Amino acid sequence: MSHPSVEKIKRESRRLRGTISEGLLDASTGSLGFQDQRTIKFHGSYQQDDRDLRDERRRQKLEPAHQFMIRIRAPGGVFTPRQWLALDRIATTWGNHSLRVTTRQTFQFHGVIKRELKATMQAINAAALDTVSACGDVNRNVLGASNPLQSDLHAQVHEWAQQLSLRFRPATRAYYEIWLDEEKVAESGVEHEPLYGETYLPRKFKIAVAVPPHNDVDVFANDLGLVAIVDGAGNLSGFNVAIGGGMGASHGIAAHYPRVGNVIGFVTPEQVFAIAEAAISVQRDLGDREERKHARFKYTIDDHGTDAIVALMQERAGVVLQPARPFRFEHNGDRFGWVEGGNGLWHLTLSLPSGRIADTPGRPLLTGMREIARVHQGEFRLTANQNVIIAGVPAAQRALIDALVAQHALDLENNAPTATARTAVACVALPTCALAMAEAERYLPGFLAALEPLLARHGLREAPILLRVSGCPNGCSRPYLAEIALVGRAPGRYNLFLGGDHRGQRLNTLYRDNVTEAQILQALEPLLARYAGDREAGERFGDFLHRSGLIELPPYPTHRQIAVELHA
């Protein structure tokens, strides 16, 4: 049986309504129809099934164990304690008793079944949150530098993330009609979509806002990146604009590749919306609508040429880009522990394993964060590296927070034997992701345990080596920017990539193809030994591999490989 194309489904969805409402009422199956499975993504949800149970359910002649992942729209990743407690209740009432911090600074729930999907969505709305555009062929959750409370500049950047998200939400009222029972009006199903049109974008579109010298949002991994530029007095002058980042790839297909964004110029704050809308509209009109794997903005840029795309963006925006201004990134990680933020407030960044907040033997993370939310007076900030910041803590309350952190073993920094373990990132992968070819989140602890003896043997337990694991080449954990990356090929087998940098500006290179854990460790052993013995002071692992000639740049043209960095 052939299915209609995604483009046809979008066109005929009645502005993202489809037959979702009817499908939710069908008690004969835990699944939605094929077309509604595609349409519900625009509402922030993916239909999945528990792949651990597939074979057994097939033997029992049962349909798969269908369930839904739901992702929150939270530009900049900010939540109040009240919202945290509400999300906790949702996870324990309808989800799988865990909160998952994603690499896009938000939460997603897993394990929600169809008959409880609407109640879950309504509970999210009751917490003053929504899931609009968290998935689908639209602008996704906008990333912002992780701690806007740390300075006035960060607060401004966080506001930009909020405004960009609001500006580029779809105009359809489908979300409110289906999930919140809003009354339908005359134009329901035919609303004007001034930006997206009747078929929305060819694929997802991602925006991030970074504040040098910290690239904690991996700004060059996004379709549109904004790098905040400050003047001598510390005020926001505007943004350098980068276009064409993206992590998706395909095994063995050279035409599908990861890409870092190109810095194309500078805009003032007054020009940001115009240039961002121009980028989205150019991708809307020129993006590939025939081959979805070739539909991201990075391919549109490379197919038409950067100069042509930039010229069209300037024409549509009515903006002439100024030359890019000097900036420098020092790293793309988080700063763990306490940081003073001014006004007598402190911020504590906790390292959490793959962003999964659940109660496990010896580490009751969900309970611990719940107890903190009950007493915390500030906010919670999620990072793009799957960590949590307890932000805005009065000095007098630090001891209480520290006690709760210790009581519930919340801080991986004190529970992980290596610096690599504290900063490692992994996507969800099995058992719920339909695209996963191998384990990632569930595999990471075991791989770290196997890697630890090598690091200890060479005195590298505290060397900050960036490790990322992805269950498939689509790259949700941004593996292609890591110093060491494992990208799933099949159960128990991975591609080993090496040589990314710690600033998020250089792609890594395929080093070993389709290898087992034993082969990965065997390949890493001599490289770690050489790094330990021959590195220069402060030299990071990825940089050492390139300087020593052990790794070359990936076989992509220069404009696909190097993100421009301008030094003051």
Side-chain angles (χ1 to χ4, degrees):
M1 175 182 175
S2 62
H3 291 295
S5 70
V6 175
E7 291 299 305
K8 186 173 189 292
I9 291 171
K10 288 186 288 187
R11 185 179 302 109
E12 297 177 354
S13 70
R14 297 183 301 119
R15 293 295 189 267
L16 306 181
R17 289 168 177 82
T19 56
I20 294 174
S21 292
E22 295 82 354
L24 293 172
L25 298 175
D26 182 0
S28 68
T29 175
S31 172
L32 291 173
F34 176 83
Q35 297 187 53
D36 289 336
Q37 290 178 39
R38 274 67 190 163
T39 305
I40 200 174
K41 294 179 182 180
F42 291 81
H43 299 256
S45 181
Y46 278 75
Q47 179 174 305
Q48 303 175 327
D49 73 282
D50 189 331
R51 292 172 61 178
D52 287 347
L53 303 178
R54 272 187 189 176
D55 290 343
E56 178 60 28
R57 292 184 68 85
R58 189 180 296 118
R59 283 192 291 270
Q60 295 182 23
K61 295 182 169 46
L62 298 172
E63 71 175 10
H66 295 299
Q67 56 187 261
F68 290 81
M69 180 275 287
I70 303 174
R71 188 177 296 152
I72 305 295
R73 184 183 66 89
V78 179
F79 297 86
T80 67
R82 179 172 293 190
Q83 287 174 327
W84 187 291
L85 292 172
L87 296 175
D88 179 291
R89 286 191 296 273
I90 291 168
T92 53
T93 303
W94 296 293
N96 67 351
H97 290 251
S98 75
L99 291 169
R100 182 55 152 70
V101 182
T102 78
T103 53
R104 293 206 69 77
Q105 280 187 305
T106 189
F107 282 122
Q108 60 189 38
F109 302 103
H110 292 99
V112 179
I113 59 176
K114 188 179 79 171
R115 68 172 177 266
E116 295 176 345
L117 191 54
K118 189 167 183 176
T120 306
M121 291 290 207
Q122 291 181 343
I124 291 169
N125 179 73
L129 295 165
D130 64 56
T131 68
V132 177
S133 302
C135 313
D137 297 345
V138 288
N139 179 57
R140 298 281 188 93
N141 199 52
V142 180
L143 301 186
S146 295
N147 198 350
L149 288 181
Q150 191 168 341
S151 68
D152 291 340
L153 177 61
H154 280 76
Q156 291 180 58
V157 166
H158 173 67
E159 182 61 22
W160 276 109
Q162 294 277 341
Q163 293 304 316
L164 287 163
S165 178
L166 289 172
R167 179 96 171 195
F168 300 129
R169 280 194 308 181
T172 174
R173 304 297 297 174
Y175 180 88
Y176 305 95
E177 291 176 10
I178 293 171
W179 307 110
L180 307 180
D181 296 323
E182 183 179 281
E183 185 177 350
K184 296 177 182 176
V185 294
E187 68 272 15
S188 292
V190 294
E191 301 101 316
H192 179 52
E193 285 281 7
L195 177 59
Y196 291 120
E198 66 175 4
T199 51
Y200 298 86
L201 298 180
R203 283 294 299 275
K204 59 189 173 185
F205 196 93
K206 296 180 176 181
I207 299 176
V209 190
V211 179
H214 305 298
N215 186 19
D216 52 1
V217 295
D218 270 333
V219 68
F220 298 118
N222 290 265
D223 298 273
L224 177 68
L226 299 172
V227 180
I229 302 298
V230 300
D231 60 23
N235 300 312
L236 180 67
S237 298
F239 299 91
N240 281 350
V241 180
I243 59 171
M247 291 288 99
S250 295
H251 289 312
I253 303 178
H256 302 161
Y257 47 81
R259 189 186 194 278
V260 287
N262 306 94
V263 175
I264 59 171
F266 171 87
V267 293
T268 64
E270 296 76 21
Q271 299 169 324
V272 168
F273 287 136
I275 203 69
E277 183 168 325
I280 293 172
S281 73
V282 167
Q283 167 62 356
R284 176 198 65 203
D285 296 342
L286 300 185
D288 191 339
R289 292 186 182 267
E290 298 295 324
E291 183 189 352
R292 282 185 65 80
K293 283 186 173 291
H294 187 256
R296 290 293 296 277
F297 194 29
K298 60 184 177 181
Y299 301 123
T300 306
I301 294 168
D302 288 346
D303 289 347
H304 292 268
T306 302
D307 291 345
I309 295 297
V310 172
L312 188 54
M313 285 173 56
Q314 291 183 111
E315 178 185 336
R316 292 190 176 189
V319 168
V320 176
L321 292 165
Q322 300 177 38
R325 299 196 180 179
F327 71 97
R328 185 177 189 278
F329 285 126
E330 294 177 353
H331 64 81
N332 63 345
D334 295 332
R335 293 147 288 174
F336 299 118
W338 288 102
V339 176
E340 186 174 8
N343 299 321
L345 299 177
W346 291 75
H347 315 303
L348 174 63
T349 303
L350 300 176
S351 175
L352 302 172
S354 299
R356 179 72 66 180
I357 305 175
D359 286 349
T360 57
R363 296 204 71 198
L365 304 184
L366 189 67
T367 297
M369 291 304 301
R370 182 187 308 137
E371 293 304 313
I372 289 175
R374 285 172 174 163
V375 300
H376 183 37
Q377 302 170 16
E379 293 174 317
F380 295 98
R381 312 267 171 179
L382 306 187
T383 82
N385 294 304
Q386 300 179 317
N387 299 313
V388 174
I389 300 170
I390 304 171
V393 178
Q397 200 182 26
R398 280 185 56 182
L400 173 59
I401 300 297
D402 280 335
L404 291 170
V405 167
Q407 179 183 345
H408 298 91
L410 275 165
D411 194 353
L412 188 61
E413 186 172 15
N414 295 318
N415 289 278
T418 66
T420 297
R422 292 193 287 273
T423 60
V425 174
C427 68
V428 173
L430 297 169
T432 54
C433 179
L435 301 176
M437 301 174 177
E439 298 278 4
E441 179 185 336
R442 296 194 300 193
Y443 175 57
L444 180 60
F447 179 73
L448 287 168
L451 181 64
E452 182 192 351
L454 272 66
L455 297 171
R457 186 177 307 143
H458 300 295
L460 298 173
R461 292 180 65 171
E462 290 305 313
I465 300 173
L466 180 59
L467 167 69
R468 291 175 176 169
V469 183
S470 179
C472 79
N474 289 285
C476 291
S477 58
R478 302 191 298 275
Y480 306 110
L481 293 173
E483 294 175 291
I484 301 174
L486 310 183
V487 178
R489 285 292 302 264
R493 305 189 75 92
Y494 298 84
N495 281 0
L496 173 63
F497 288 81
L498 298 175
D501 76 327
H502 60 288
R503 297 177 298 173
Q505 297 186 178
R506 180 179 64 226
L507 294 176
N508 52 25
T509 303
L510 179 62
Y511 189 72
R512 292 287 186 272
D513 179 68
N514 197 20
V515 288
T516 63
E517 179 182 285
Q519 292 170 317
I520 292 168
L521 297 173
Q522 184 180 34
L524 289 176
E525 171 82 38
L527 300 178
L528 292 170
R530 288 204 43 187
Y531 174 56
D534 300 341
R535 59 180 164 164
E536 297 177 351
E539 187 174 27
R540 293 289 295 261
F541 184 57
D543 295 337
F544 168 79
L545 293 176
H546 282 276
R547 181 180 63 81
S548 61
L550 296 169
I551 293 291
E552 296 180 353
L553 291 173
Y556 305 142
T558 300
H559 76 277
R560 296 179 188 167
Q561 171 57 37
I562 304 298
V564 174
E565 181 187 24
L566 304 169
H567 295 272

